[in-house]
């Protein structure tokens, strides 16, 4: 009796996950009309993944899609994940769990007595449980997951998971044009790995470039290599656009962000997208991306973070 009840529950949850999938359209493409880019005879198109959904935006939906189905099939009842107090991934995950009626437990770097960020306020509103951990324990958690009950599924920081790869790789199935270069902001390297896998299937000539937004590019390279067939070398993680490190910024980045938003009416934020957009413009201007190239830049969202940094954008 209990068995058939849990089967029914499982079917219902599976239905909810697949139902969620069907509600998302392909993200639109937007051509950039900019004299600097035209002067270099480059065509630059933005894949507006930030428009996939107002909350589960950017690479989050793509990262979560197959992971959620698998979690469902494995019959876990709860999900736990770790991240910073502004984490886009925790934000999206809490919302998805809320929609699906799943329990969500978040291990957040910080202290209980600090004011809650808008990100964490949303997570609480969506019924997530927050457990604050100090920096030392947080670092330790990156290596070894915390002790969890057997029915809790653990997801690493930033949604780093091999099941994120098929979701990200599907970006290519939404493209009709052929691209010479595809660029994306990179932190864990998971999105780059997904694009490398997608390019291999759909556009083997496209070169994938991850713009590192933090000072750990060696780690990203080794993680990408672990996630994909390392014989594929049509990809790179580019450094030099960290602007001091994760969530750090300079006046040049702030100026670029403001001007880009004004000229193109595409919202970007300083932690991820602005760094990858700045880098793309510079690579084109310096001729590192050669003239005549057709370039796709993926907007990974992350705009909920702007609420915490609005004075800087
Ligand atoms: C908005 C945004 N862009 C880009 C990234 C980097 O993606 P990845 O961790 O897959 O390298 C993240 C982190 O997940 C993010 O939140």
């Amino acid at each position: 009796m209990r068995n058939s009840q849990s089967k029914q529950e499982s079917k219902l949850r599976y239905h909810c996950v697949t139902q969620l999938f069907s509600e998302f359209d392909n993200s639109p493409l937007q051509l950039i009309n900019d004299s600097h880019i035209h002067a270099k005879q480059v065509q630059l198109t933005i894949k507006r993944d930030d428009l996939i959904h107002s909350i589960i935006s950017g690479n989050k939906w793509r990262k979560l899609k197959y992971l959620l189905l698998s979690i469902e099939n494995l019959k876990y009842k709860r999900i736990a994940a770790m991240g910073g107090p502004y984490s886009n991934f925790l934000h999206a995950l809490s919302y998805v769990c809320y929609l699906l009626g799943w329990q969500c437990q978040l291990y957040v770097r910080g202290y209980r007595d600090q004011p809650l960020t808008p990100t964490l306020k949303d997570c609480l509103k969506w019924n997530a449980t927050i457990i604050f951990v100090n920096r030392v324990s947080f670092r330790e958690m990156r290596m070894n997951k915390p002790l969890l009950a057997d029915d809790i599924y653990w997801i690493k920081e930033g949604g780093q998971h091999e099941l994120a790869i098929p979701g990200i790789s599907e970006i290519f199935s939404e493209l009709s044009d052929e691209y010479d270069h595809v660029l994306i902001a990179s932190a864990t390297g998971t999105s780059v790995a997904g694009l490398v896998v997608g390019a291999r299937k759909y556009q083997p000539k496209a070169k994938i470039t991850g713009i590192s937004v933090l000072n750990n590019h060696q780690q990203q390279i080794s993680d990408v290599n672990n996630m994909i067939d390392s014989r594929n070398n049509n990809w790179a993680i580019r450094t030099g656009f960290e602007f001091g490190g994760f969530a750090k910024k300079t006046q040049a980045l702030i100026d670029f962000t403001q001007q880009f938003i004004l000229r193109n009416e595409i919202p970007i934020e300083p932690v991820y997208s602005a760094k990858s957009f700045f880098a793309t413009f510079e690579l084109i201007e310096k001729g590192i991306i050669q003239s005549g190239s057709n370039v796709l830049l993926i907007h990974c969202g992350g705009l909920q973070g702007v609420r915490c940094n609005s004075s800087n954008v």
Side-chain angles (χ1 to χ4, degrees):
M1 176 72 186
R2 237 169 85 199
N3 208 358
S4 85
Q5 191 184 342
S6 80
K7 258 191 193 152
Q8 271 179 351
E9 262 177 33
S10 171
K11 262 191 188 159
L12 191 67
R13 288 167 67 196
Y14 185 85
H15 177 72
C16 290
V17 175
T18 45
Q19 176 72 28
L20 253 185
F21 291 166
S22 64
E23 282 168 16
F24 294 82
D25 292 328
N26 292 350
S27 64
L29 293 167
Q30 187 168 341
L31 196 62
I32 293 295
N33 207 345
D34 183 287
S35 54
H36 296 92
I37 304 287
H38 289 165
K40 294 287 173 185
Q41 292 169 339
V42 167
Q43 178 159 292
L44 175 60
T45 305
I46 312 294
K47 177 81 168 142
R48 298 287 309 272
D49 270 11
D50 57 310
L51 296 177
I52 289 180
H53 184 271
S54 59
I55 293 165
I56 321 166
S57 85
N59 56 7
K60 301 302 165 286
W61 177 245
R62 298 190 189 276
K63 277 185 175 179
L64 279 167
K65 189 173 168 183
Y66 292 102
L67 184 56
L68 293 177
L69 272 174
S70 158
I71 292 172
E72 160 56 31
N73 287 334
L74 293 170
K75 301 187 175 43
Y76 282 88
K77 302 224 181 318
R78 290 182 281 171
I79 298 181
M82 65 184 286
Y86 303 99
S87 166
N88 295 313
F89 184 73
L90 296 188
H91 193 251
L93 180 71
S94 308
Y95 182 66
V96 165
C97 287
Y98 170 71
L99 292 184
L100 295 171
W102 296 7
Q103 280 184 39
C104 182
Q105 195 165 301
L106 308 178
Y107 290 82
V108 177
R109 192 186 61 238
Y111 299 94
R112 185 186 287 273
D113 52 5
Q114 280 172 343
L116 284 177
T117 59
T119 308
L120 294 182
K121 281 185 188 161
D122 281 348
C123 297
L124 285 179
K125 185 174 79 194
W126 298 323
N127 300 335
T129 306
I130 295 178
I131 299 149
F132 287 101
V133 281
N134 65 33
R135 276 175 194 277
V136 177
S137 311
F138 192 80
R139 237 177 270 141
E140 162 69 21
M141 232 174 242
R142 283 189 175 132
M143 312 292 176
N144 305 304
K145 69 174 191 175
L147 273 178
L148 296 170
D150 288 347
D151 67 340
I152 301 184
Y153 191 93
W154 174 247
I155 306 177
K156 283 190 190 169
E157 194 177 11
Q160 189 176 20
H161 196 289
E162 61 183 21
L163 284 174
I165 291 176
I168 301 274
S169 75
E170 283 177 355
I171 288 179
F172 279 98
S173 69
E174 298 173 16
L175 305 175
S176 48
D177 255 27
E178 293 269 323
Y179 293 93
D180 304 298
H181 293 271
V182 179
L183 296 100
I184 195 162
S186 183
T188 66
T190 313
S191 300
V192 168
L195 289 176
V196 172
V197 169
R200 192 187 298 153
K201 182 170 172 197
Y202 293 95
Q203 296 201 18
K205 288 191 190 139
K207 166 144 196 189
I208 310 302
T209 302
I211 306 298
S212 180
V213 299
L214 65 162
N215 298 319
N216 76 340
H217 82 283
Q218 286 301 349
Q219 181 68 46
Q220 291 178 51
I221 292 171
S222 105
D223 286 349
V224 174
N225 273 323
N226 286 336
M227 286 184 268
I228 60 163
D229 173 355
S230 53
R231 277 171 303 166
N232 187 319
N233 58 6
N234 204 14
W235 62 275
I237 302 285
R238 212 164 240 286
T239 57
F241 300 100
E242 299 84 358
F243 295 90
F246 185 66
K248 300 264 168 54
K249 49 192 168 284
T250 64
Q251 194 55 46
L253 183 67
I254 294 167
D255 292 347
F256 171 85
T257 306
Q258 287 171 340
Q259 280 165 24
F260 180 86
I261 296 171
L262 269 178
R263 284 196 192 131
N264 300 287
E265 295 181 0
I266 298 176
I268 55 174
E269 50 65 56
V271 181
Y272 295 98
S273 46
K275 291 184 181 179
S276 64
F277 282 50
F278 185 108
T280 304
F281 272 67
E282 191 155 305
L283 295 175
I284 293 171
E285 275 183 26
K286 289 193 167 157
I288 296 167
I289 290 179
Q290 288 173 344
S291 100
S293 297
N294 195 15
V295 178
L296 185 71
L297 171 58
I298 295 162
H299 190 323
C300 282
L303 295 163
Q304 64 91 21
V306 176
R307 295 176 300 171
C308 319
N309 289 304
S310 53
S311 60
N312 299 324
V313 179

